Amino acid sequence: ETAAIAALQAKRKDIDAMSKALRMMQTEAADGVLPLDGDRAFHTAIVETSGNAVLVETVQNFWDSRRGPIFERLVGYFETLQSWQAAIAEHSAILEAIQNHDAAAARTAMHAHMDKSHARFSASWRVAKVLAKTQP
């Protein structure tokens, strides 16, 4: 829903913040760095558009949990520069819908992104489990 809210409420400064975050992701990926900072900035810029402190804090807490020690150990199993290229393309679709102030398209694009992110994570996790079983 944060993307739909952003599509309805985004001002130029909000869209600029999202665009800057997306460019950061693109630069990080081009430099061979997993674009976690740009990703967080992108999602934070979207939720900050709502003006709802509870939503902002919730999204930030999700991101903080992604930077915890368990996640940091697992990240190599499911995040690659190739998977991030897909995420960047998905973010572009979200941003386009928000720029067009199309709440339904923004909602759909964000749902697709979250579903695809989950699928990438799940598929990679299954591969990691299989590899772990086959190694001595």
Side-chain angles (χ1 to χ4, degrees):
E1 284 307 300
T2 60
I5 293 168
L8 295 174
Q9 297 183 182
K11 307 285 187 263
R12 171 56 39 206
K13 69 176 180 59
D14 302 312
I15 291 172
D16 288 347
M18 292 172 221
S19 297
K20 180 180 176 185
L22 184 57
R23 285 191 306 275
M24 182 190 310
M25 288 184 72
Q26 293 164 334
T27 299
E28 289 170 331
D31 290 343
V33 176
L34 295 180
L36 293 170
D37 292 335
D39 190 31
R40 180 184 180 130
F42 182 79
H43 286 276
T44 298
I46 289 171
V47 73
E48 284 178 344
T49 302
S50 73
N52 183 318
V54 174
L55 281 177
V56 172
E57 185 176 332
T58 300
V59 169
Q60 289 175 339
N61 285 336
F62 288 149
W63 286 109
D64 290 343
S65 69
R66 281 193 73 182
R67 298 309 289 255
I70 293 173
F71 186 85
E72 291 291 331
R73 291 188 64 156
L74 296 175
V75 72
Y77 288 109
F78 58 89
E79 290 189 335
T80 65
L81 290 175
Q82 182 180 17
S83 69
W84 277 105
Q85 290 300 329
I88 289 168
E90 294 158 15
H91 285 187
S92 294
I94 295 164
L95 179 57
E96 182 179 345
I98 292 170
Q99 288 171 320
N100 292 330
H101 301 286
D102 185 338
R107 181 183 295 110
T108 298
M110 183 62 84
H111 275 275
H113 169 56
M114 300 308 290
D115 290 344
K116 289 175 183 177
S117 293
H118 181 263
R120 284 189 293 270
F121 172 81
S122 298
S124 297
W125 188 248
R126 285 189 297 274
V127 169
K129 286 169 62 175
V130 169
L131 289 175
K133 289 180 183 179
T134 62
Q135 295 179 5

